[in-house]
Amino acid sequence: MARRERLGEFLVRRGVISREQLQAALDQQVRTGMLLGETLVDMGFVARESLLQELAAFYGVPFVSLRLNPPDPAAARLVPARLAHRYRLIPTARSGDRLTVAMANPADIAAEDEVRALTRLEVEPVLADADEISEAVGRIFDLMHNAELAVRYRAAAARERPPEPEVTVATEDGPIVALVQSLLMQAVRVGASDLHLEPQETELRVRYRVDGVLHEAMCQPLSLHPAVVARVKVLGGMDIGERRLPQDGRFSLTVDGKAYDFRVSTLPSIHGEKVVLRILDKSGGVRRLNELGFTPGDQRRVERLLAQPYGLFLVVGPTGSGKSTTLSACLSHLDASALNIVTVEDPVEYRLPGVCQMQVNVRAGLTFAVALRHILRQDPDVIMVGEIRDRETAELAVQASLTGHLVLSTLHTNDAPGTVARLLDMGIEPILLASALSGVLAQRLVRLLCPHCRQPYFLPRELRVAEGWTVEKGKPLYRPPTSEERPCPHCRMGYAGRTVISELMVVDDAIRSLILQRADTEAVREAAVIGGMRPMREEGLRRVLAGETSLEEVLRVTRSTVQEAWPAHSADHALILGG
């Protein structure tokens, strides 16, 4: 009672509740036996979220939402399920010899000591909602439990019957079905964009891509691999007997009341078939242009390009750079009630009201090129082609833009000026390309530094003067914390969320002249910069100077560009650039 009374006095002093409310809650607590905090919430004296923040201040530890920051499964598995359930705790992250542990009661010294003794790591407690802890424990340890059941099932089956060809692996085995279901649900809940199932020499490795970076989730015996792959193939409508050739498939799954699409790709390897599943949120809303992170100047220029009645506008970059999101934002900017907007995609990732969207079906013969030919007979104003993959599609897109249509599409090139050479190499005639191409937007996604744990540092002189790039004297830049520094419960390894860095090349008369001459990419780049294009490298540095991201992160997504800008002059320089 003494601790509960001290907590009550603490809440009264901070103005969260009145003394009368505290006394009423204490009286109610005597009758119900509930904790004081739960009683205050139950009586409506304080909101649950506000109480959790106050409890964190009372205990002197950070508060973390496990729904917004799911625990790292590898860290969570450092304690057994029985201990996690008993003390209502779960490790969320490991950094060096420190283990961040989310606890419903951070003052439970016995629980902290037991975790420390078991893991031999220094425990850094944080406060989390008890219900969220229980949900995370069940989710993560259910995954492990299903994996263990699957291992035992496969071992028992192998002992009870003679070996059979892999093609006859039962795909409806309960433990295997449960394991695959757990893997898919866990991937969604940690916010992964991709799930990788990778057979190694002796084990099956499972990894999730979160914010563009792969994280290992678990490793299991290689004996599970054939059954897991067979189950995924069944879900994706693929041929489980074909293991020599790559295959593609897709399926849908509802997780926590939200619908998700999974695109499946298999690839034969020396240890078995590698499987990658791309995860798409079907219920996610379409983002607006002003929500993507473009500079105000670039956003205005994109809007002007979209206002043109015809022309070819391309969004370029590698896989996973947010091209589809940008194109969907562009389409949502247009007035679908006054325009006939038709798209052909693979697959349809965002549902757009008022827009006619179709999905390619290669098996049925509906490719991008075939679809585009038929779309042109539908009196379209705006056409969006999910990706230009071949010469035929490129030629049709160019022809459509020359005949009075605004055509939007994507292409895999490294930067905006390099798109010209790519299209010319695909066989597009210079005179047609110069007339059709209106603009190219190249982009990458960079992780944002966590504002709670980012660390300041100062550049060596060599970097301050390189390429004319200067930093105000005494102005720090920021980086994520090292493994020796305190881990943060608000982020994943010093980063939280992503934003876009881009370069926008608007095709003017100078660039058209260079296209007609088949000029090299460097000449096109120089003309684009003169015309107002801000190179992606400079945009990344602007965000570094603003403290939004780190130099290492900009280097990771624009490696060749940054290295060209700053040849390493010193050991300190090389260390910062990761060279």
Side-chain angles (χ1 to χ4, degrees), residues 160-408:
E160 292 173 4
R161 63 173 181 258
E164 301 175 358
E166 285 187 13
V167 69
T168 62
V169 170
T171 57
E172 297 302 326
D173 294 345
I176 298 298
V177 171
L179 173 60
V180 171
Q181 184 82 356
S182 297
L183 289 171
L184 298 175
M185 295 176 70
Q186 176 72 358
V188 167
R189 287 166 175 162
V190 301
S193 61
D194 300 87
L195 165 60
H196 290 238
L197 305 174
E198 304 168 328
Q200 307 295 301
E201 187 173 358
T202 60
E203 61 188 10
L204 170 62
R205 180 172 66 173
V206 179
R207 293 196 291 175
Y208 299 138
R209 187 179 295 279
V210 181
D211 286 342
V213 178
L214 282 169
H215 302 274
E216 185 172 304
M218 65 189 304
C219 289
Q220 291 298 318
L222 191 60
S223 60
L224 288 182
H225 173 258
V228 169
V229 172
R231 175 59 185 166
V232 172
K233 284 183 175 181
V234 168
L235 290 172
M238 303 153 73
D239 182 359
I240 66 171
E242 179 56 76
R243 302 185 303 280
R244 300 165 299 174
L245 298 174
Q247 294 189 68
D248 294 311
R250 59 173 55 105
F251 62 92
S252 297
L253 181 68
T254 300
V255 180
D256 299 331
K258 296 178 66 176
Y260 295 85
D261 273 337
F262 290 80
R263 285 191 291 171
V264 188
S265 172
T266 66
L267 189 70
S269 75
I270 60 173
H271 300 303
E273 290 178 281
K274 173 180 166 61
V275 181
V276 176
L277 298 96
R278 169 63 56 90
I279 304 170
L280 305 170
D281 185 354
K282 293 172 64 174
S283 60
V286 178
R287 301 177 68 180
R288 300 291 180 180
L289 278 173
N290 60 2
E291 299 173 342
L292 299 183
F294 295 117
T295 64
D298 277 355
Q299 181 182 328
R300 286 193 297 270
R301 293 201 292 166
V302 168
E303 290 172 351
R304 285 198 293 269
L305 289 171
L306 295 175
Q308 296 180 4
Y310 56 85
L312 176 62
F313 176 56
L314 299 175
V315 180
V316 304
T319 300
S321 58
K323 300 187 297 296
S324 296
T325 301
T326 297
L327 278 185
S328 297
C330 289
L331 292 178
S332 69
H333 177 76
L334 300 173
D335 184 1
S337 64
L339 298 169
N340 180 18
I341 305 174
V342 186
T343 76
V344 53
E345 306 168 62
D346 183 26
V348 174
E349 296 185 24
Y350 299 92
R351 274 32 176 201
L352 300 167
V355 175
C356 176
Q357 297 175 267
M358 61 187 300
Q359 187 162 297
V360 300
N361 188 335
V362 177
R363 291 180 181 176
L366 183 61
T367 63
F368 278 117
V370 171
L372 188 50
R373 290 184 187 277
H374 288 277
I375 288 173
L376 289 172
R377 302 170 187 164
Q378 291 284 312
D379 185 32
D381 297 298
V382 180
I383 303 169
M384 193 274 272
V385 182
E387 183 182 343
I388 294 178
R389 296 176 178 173
D390 51 44
R391 176 176 178 173
E392 184 182 8
T393 306
E395 289 177 338
L396 287 169
V398 167
Q399 192 63 41
S401 66
L402 291 173
T403 54
H405 307 91
L406 177 62
V407 180
L408 284 63

Side-chain angles (χ1 to χ4, degrees), residues 1 76 83 89 97 202 212 216 301 399 404 406 430 441 448 488:
M1 179 67 72
L83 189 148
L89 60 81
D97 62 351
T202 60
E216 185 172 304
R301 293 201 292 166
Q399 192 63 41
L406 177 62
L441 176 70
L448 292 169
C488 176

